[in-house]
Amino acid sequence: MTGKTPPTFALSAPTGRFAPSPTGPLHYGSLLAAVASYLNVRAHSGTWLVRIEDLDPPREMPGAASDILHTLESFGLHWDQDVVYQSNRLSLYDEALAELQQKDLLYPCSCSRKDILMRGEHIYTGHCRKGNYVGQKNHAIRIKVPERTLSWQDLVQGPQSGNLFNDNGDFVLRRADGLHAYHLAVVVDDASQRITESIRGADLLPLTSAQMYLQYALGMQAPEYGHIPVAVNAEGEKLSKQAGAAPVSIGDPARTLFKALRDLGQSPPDELESSTVGDILEWGKKHWALNKVPGRRIL
Ligand code: GLU
Ligand code: ZN
């Protein structure tokens, strides 16, 4: 006996989430993200959470949140625990802001979107950080980012890197209209819900380095990220609620789910197509292979 304690392995089950913004009904691209995030944790007996990102009332559509939840249920995508609504958690975001303020990482910015464009900047280059802030009541709060490149491994897209200063610049954490920014809320919530993996649409890939920086600044553990390809329409445009993508039909959920599995690179047998949602998900859990999800291929 050496008296040494044997190493323990924390092989706990993963926790994943689906985090739609209630700006409209679920479209097919979001369904793919929901299915992939669901199967990637359920295949390992993990926990799947749903979080409604209702931070931006002007962009929201009345009834969209319950419509999205109803659609998920029609596809047999049942979540664990109560659905979390970001609109109920504003004090948590304020606490994170206070922490960052204490670390001297924040500053007020009086630039409008138009001001920034007029200066010919695609990415905000720290105008107000450099002493140009004009005190005004309605100002945004930005975080100072260093000139650093972050590298990480995306579970679907492979090795990634992003330069904080060039890709995102000093990004906004609280908008001039007083609303908390998506970056802040998503990072605070992923940490407080102990999310271990974030499987989501590739449109969010360019934002990931900013979120990882925020996690670092707040001393939070980053989840693993996997970005599934964005679904496009026949014209090659990304499906999005803002662009008016058609809501996913719940008329024949089993066939749609079967198609989703195929589009996610899985190979369900033909006979499963006429099966039930429950059987298709069971097959999906048993055979799920994230490494088969296409990376850059357009669906
Ligand atoms: N709420 C975001 C959206 O609907 C997704 C956030 C995330 O998955 O990190 O686009
Ligand atoms: Zn500014």
Side-chain angles (χ1 to χ4, degrees):
M1 289 285 283
T2 62
K4 274 192 188 157
T5 2
T8 50
F9 295 97
L11 285 180
S12 48
T15 302
R17 57 27 165 222
F18 177 57
S21 307
T23 50
L26 204 72
H27 61 74
Y28 184 66
S30 317
L31 178 70
L32 290 178
V35 170
S37 68
Y38 175 92
L39 288 177
N40 206 52
V41 290
R42 291 297 198 224
H44 303 103
S45 313
T47 303
W48 191 62
L49 305 179
V50 172
R51 182 170 75 226
I52 298 290
E53 303 212 314
D54 53 349
L55 269 187
D56 192 350
R59 285 185 54 228
E60 283 152 24
M61 183 188 276
S66 57
D67 190 70
I68 290 171
L69 295 175
H70 177 65
T71 304
L72 292 175
E73 280 178 326
S74 310
F75 284 95
L77 301 171
H78 302 296
W79 52 90
D80 298 309
Q81 303 172 18
D82 291 339
V83 172
V84 159
Y85 290 82
Q86 287 190 325
S87 56
N88 292 336
R89 297 161 70 81
L90 304 185
S91 60
L92 283 181
Y93 312 142
D94 281 332
E95 278 168 30
L97 280 177
E99 185 178 335
L100 294 167
Q101 177 70 50
Q102 220 165 25
K103 294 180 174 170
D104 194 25
L105 286 173
L106 305 183
Y107 66 93
C109 166
S110 48
C111 305
S112 66
R113 208 176 282 261
K114 201 169 143 209
D115 294 335
I116 297 171
L117 278 177
M118 298 270 274
R119 291 199 295 266
E121 296 175 17
H122 296 295
I123 300 286
Y124 185 79
T125 59
H127 187 76
C128 292
R129 192 212 292 207
K130 296 172 195 151
N132 298 311
Y133 171 66
V134 191
Q136 66 185 41
K137 201 161 141 259
N138 300 328
H139 59 261
I141 303 280
R142 290 184 185 267
I143 183 165
K144 301 174 194 170
V145 302
E147 292 231 27
R148 265 194 47 199
T149 299
L150 295 185
S151 301
W152 71 98
Q153 189 73 19
D154 187 275
L155 297 173
V156 178
Q157 307 285 340
Q160 300 295 317
S161 66
N163 182 280
L164 290 166
F165 199 75
N166 298 335
D167 294 350
N168 295 288
D170 291 348
F171 51 95
V172 169
L173 295 186
R174 210 189 64 204
R175 297 172 5 185
D177 58 10
L179 296 177
H180 296 95
Y182 152 70
H183 278 314
L184 177 68
V186 81
V187 159
V188 168
D189 285 340
D190 280 349
S192 96
Q193 296 187 284
R194 296 179 186 279
I195 302 299
T196 60
E197 56 177 66
S198 168
I199 307 289
R200 56 188 189 177
D203 51 323
L204 299 168
L205 187 57
L207 309 181
T208 305
S209 58
Q211 293 175 12
M212 292 177 93
Y213 175 63
L214 208 42
Q215 285 149 354
Y216 165 80
L218 287 164
M220 293 166 169
Q221 170 102 35
E224 290 204 273
Y225 288 100
H227 289 88
I228 66 159
V230 169
V232 295
N233 63 19
E235 284 75 49
E237 296 155 348
K238 170 187 173 292
L239 299 187
S240 74
K241 287 172 247 181
Q242 293 93 303
V248 71
S249 162
I250 54 170
D252 191 354
R255 279 198 64 190
T256 306
L257 193 56
F258 180 85
K259 177 174 165 13
L261 275 186
R262 286 253 164 111
D263 285 343
L264 287 168
Q266 315 298 302
S267 318
D270 290 343
E271 58 273 20
L272 206 63
E273 189 167 7
S274 48
S275 176
T276 62
V277 155
D279 285 347
I280 296 172
L281 284 178
E282 268 318 300
W283 184 94
K285 274 188 237 175
K286 225 188 241 155
H287 301 271
W288 177 248
L290 186 64
N291 61 1
K292 288 196 187 161
V293 174
R296 298 187 186 285
R297 206 194 77 195
I298 285 169
L299 296 171

